[in-house]
Amino acid sequence: MQPWWLLSLRIGAFGFLKEFRPEDPYITQYLVGPIMNLTEHQVNQEVYPIATYIGLIQIVFVFLLTDFLCYKPVIVMNALSGVISQGILIWGRGLRAMQVMEIFYATMTACEVAYYTYIYAKVDKNHYQTVTSHMRAAALTGRFTSATTSQIMLSLGILTIADLNHLTFVGMCCALLCALTLPSMDYSLYFHRKSVQHPIEQKVVAELPQNKENCSEESSRLNQNHNSYTNTHSENGGDSQCVKKILPDFPTSVQKDDTALATAPTSKWKQVVQLLWMDFRDAYTNPYVFKMCVFISLATCGYNQMMTYVQILWVKIGGKQQEAFNGGVEAIYTIISAVSALAFGQVKGDWSRYGEAVIGLLSVLQGALLLLSSFTDSMVIAYTVYVVFGMLYNVMMVLTNSEVARHLNQDSYALIFGMNSFVALILQTILTFAVAGLGGLTIPIRHQFVVYGGYFAVLGGVYTIKSCFTMWSYYHLDHLLS
């Protein structure tokens, strides 16, 4: 078996390659440029919304399929979809071809859940935080490298925007080869769980009488130590009946363990549903976790919407033929966001008391920035807004995700964070249809950013007001205790 750090480096290499997409900062300019010759209206309302709609349909099935197929096939599909979408972008022409390209792009995005959950099923829980940082660092490094490369190539006249697509295609082909070499998995978090016998469980089984007729006598002796065994259960067929008599009232929360479900006369699908429901219920019945998850979904929805349509705004501000520095700005955004998120991760605070105030005020600031970008005619201001907005978002995600993870069972990380993404995509679909998609209001791009700015202002206002009640409750409690 490979050391955990070597596997982490291998999946990190895939993360770097899949994010090496030099054409991304200039995709809108390419679509409205002379090669594709699409209009801003078509890109805004008939091309970009496709990925949001298709992604919503796919993400639920992809999450279950990832666990059922044990990760690697979905990671391969992630890279293959990127290769196909990039191929269509290079050799396809016209509106219909670009809409098909968006379908494969949505598939690639939906399959990213495998990248972020594969490593959790492969390494020990003690290394979760370390391997998570490896994956995030690899993805950010790939994004920074691709943005820097694209800006240098364009500024020096070595490549054109169209040529960047070929460079991205090579990167995605390398990612596909890397995915194919990853080790396969024989187990997953839900469909193919490992059977693990805990030490205390082994002790119980070892002390079980060989003659089942003596079960009641042995039960009397072991019942004296009932409290020592309340967190155990058996997976050994007939002997499990003896353990059940010995430990009739162990906590329900423990029953979500795979060994308990393995003895239950239910199908694998029912077991999976039970596990999913238990993890879901345990997380979202915690008011603090629920509050943070709601914010994550709402903020991610607004962030993704801004990232999808910001290049159209830049084209509107600077024109199709302006000397774009999108790649350089993307590189600056990536490195500043990474450094600020890392630095904020070292800040210690009573976030249960002050966390709402922080995310509320930062969200209000994000709303103000988006409103500024909707009215400005300066590319410098528009670029600055993009960098600061993204930095604030990443800081807030560090705070909220870490707080959620701190209150979760580690096995439920993938489910809860996946659910947050799913809710965010539902909200983004509604928002896209309302303001940009055909059949909705189809409002101009500047007015869209007024809506997005108002969205974040309202979100921030709600959490800021809520923080006042939270801090008052803590103050009142401290006063009573003193």
Side-chain angles (χ1 to χ4, degrees):
M1 183 177 178
Q2 292 185 3
W4 68 269
W5 58 267
L6 180 58
L7 183 62
S8 180
L9 290 178
R10 293 181 66 178
I11 191 67
F14 170 76
F16 174 88
L17 291 170
K18 80 179 183 67
E19 291 295 332
F20 185 76
R21 301 177 56 82
E23 123 283 342
D24 273 4
Y26 301 95
I27 182 65
T28 298
Q29 282 189 300
Y30 177 71
L31 293 177
V32 300
I35 295 179
M36 285 299 172
N37 201 29
L38 299 179
T39 66
E40 293 176 28
H41 175 86
Q42 288 175 317
V43 174
N44 186 17
Q45 299 174 359
E46 299 183 53
V47 176
Y48 285 165
I50 297 295
T52 302
Y53 300 151
I54 297 298
L56 177 63
I57 298 172
Q58 292 179 336
I59 193 168
V60 177
F61 300 103
V62 167
F63 175 80
L64 295 176
L65 199 63
T66 296
D67 200 88
F68 182 75
L69 296 179
C70 294
Y71 306 100
K72 181 178 176 178
V74 182
I75 293 178
V76 173
M77 178 59 68
N78 172 263
L80 182 60
S81 299
V83 171
I84 295 173
S85 66
Q86 203 60 40
I88 296 174
L89 198 60
I90 294 172
W91 293 292
R93 294 293 182 269
L95 176 61
R96 293 292 175 262
M98 293 305 98
Q99 289 174 330
V100 174
M101 180 272 294
E102 285 290 304
I103 293 175
F104 284 99
Y105 182 82
T107 303
M108 180 187 72
T109 303
C111 290
E112 284 188 350
V113 66
Y115 169 70
Y116 288 107
T117 54
Y118 170 90
I119 197 71
Y120 293 137
K122 197 71 172 176
V123 305
D124 187 83
K125 293 178 181 179
N126 294 331
H127 303 304
Y128 273 11
Q129 183 173 349
T130 303
V131 297
T132 300
S133 66
H134 287 177
M135 289 187 294
R136 293 291 180 184
L140 286 171
T141 303
R143 190 170 180 176
F144 173 78
T145 304
S146 67
T148 303
T149 300
S150 64
Q151 188 62 64
I152 292 174
M153 292 298 179
L154 290 179
S155 297
L156 297 180
I158 299 174
L159 297 177
T160 65
I161 291 179
D163 294 332
L164 294 178
N165 289 310
H166 296 272
L167 198 58
T168 304
F169 183 77
V170 172
M172 293 307 304
C173 288
C174 292
L176 177 59
L177 293 176
C178 185
L180 291 171
T181 63
L182 290 173
S184 300
M185 301 279 288
D186 297 322
Y187 47 83
S188 60
L189 294 176
Y190 293 104
F191 281 96
H192 310 284
R193 292 172 68 86
K194 287 192 297 185
S195 294
V196 178
Q197 194 176 53
H198 302 286
I200 188 71
E201 181 182 344
Q202 294 173 351
K203 181 178 179 181
V204 174
V205 174
E207 295 183 3
L208 285 175
Q210 297 298 319
N211 186 348
K212 294 180 177 59
E213 293 178 357
N214 296 326
C215 182
S216 60
E217 179 182 345
E218 192 70 11
S219 298
S220 299
R221 184 178 68 82
L222 292 179
N223 257 331
Q224 297 174 3
N225 297 320
H226 179 276
N227 292 335
S228 300
Y229 298 123
T230 53
N231 291 325
T232 67
H233 55 281
S234 173
E235 59 179 358
N236 291 307
D239 287 345
S240 66
Q241 297 301 318
C242 184
V243 176
K244 185 175 181 181
K245 293 178 181 178
I246 297 171
L247 309 174
D249 298 317
F250 60 87
T252 304
S253 61
V254 178
Q255 296 178 15
K256 71 185 248 181
D257 198 313
D258 53 302
T259 51
L261 291 171
T263 62
T266 58
S267 68
K268 178 179 290 188
W269 280 97
K270 288 184 178 180
Q271 294 175 15
V272 171
V273 170
Q274 286 178 338
L275 288 166
L276 289 169
W277 170 246
M278 289 175 186
D279 283 341
F280 181 88
R281 181 193 61 195
D282 291 345
Y284 290 111
T285 53
N286 182 325
Y288 186 72
V289 171
F290 178 77
K291 173 178 61 181
M292 288 298 176
C293 285
V294 168
F295 180 84
I296 290 171
S297 297
L298 290 169
T300 301
C301 163
Y303 171 80
N304 289 341
Q305 193 74 358
M306 188 281 292
M307 295 292 285
T308 300
Y309 292 95
V310 69
Q311 289 188 35
I312 300 177
L313 178 65
W314 291 347
V315 170
K316 175 64 69 176
I317 294 173
K320 297 181 181 180
Q321 305 302 324
Q322 97 278 10
E323 183 181 0
F325 294 94
N326 299 8
V329 171
E330 185 69 25
I332 294 172
Y333 154 73
T334 303
I335 195 66
I336 289 181
S337 294
V339 171
S340 60
L342 182 63
F344 189 81
Q346 305 305 312
V347 177
K348 305 301 181 183
D350 186 359
W351 302 125
S352 60
R353 180 181 300 204
Y354 302 113
E356 290 173 331
V358 173
I359 61 179
L361 293 174
L362 292 183
S363 295
V364 171
L365 178 56
Q366 284 184 307
L369 290 171
L370 292 181
L371 289 173
L372 174 62
S373 67
S374 68
F375 293 109
T376 187
D377 290 318
S378 169
M379 287 300 299
V380 174
I381 293 177
Y383 282 150
T384 302
V385 165
Y386 176 78
V387 172
V388 177
F389 179 93
M391 179 193 69
L392 295 177
Y393 170 79
N394 282 283
V395 165
M396 290 191 297
M397 288 302 103
V398 169
L399 192 161
T400 52
N401 280 314
S402 63
E403 284 297 289
V404 169
R406 200 162 59 87
H407 293 80
L408 286 181
N409 180 343
Q410 288 178 316
D411 281 347
S412 64
Y413 284 177
L415 172 65
I416 301 307
F417 290 130
M419 181 61 65
N420 291 342
S421 298
F422 174 62
V423 174
L425 197 52
I426 291 177
L427 296 172
Q428 188 184 356
T429 301
I430 296 172
L431 189 58
T432 298
F433 179 79
V435 303
L438 293 176
L441 298 176
T442 61
I443 60 180
I445 189 63
R446 285 186 181 272
H447 294 168
Q448 284 185 39
F449 272 72
V450 172
V451 173
Y452 305 151
Y455 174 93
F456 274 97
V458 171
L459 174 62
V462 170
Y463 272 80
T464 300
I465 294 172
K466 175 66 171 63
S467 71
C468 295
F469 290 98
T470 299
M471 289 187 289
W472 169 253
S473 298
Y474 273 97
Y475 172 78
H476 186 62
L477 180 61
D478 292 342
H479 181 72
L480 290 177
L481 293 176
S482 62

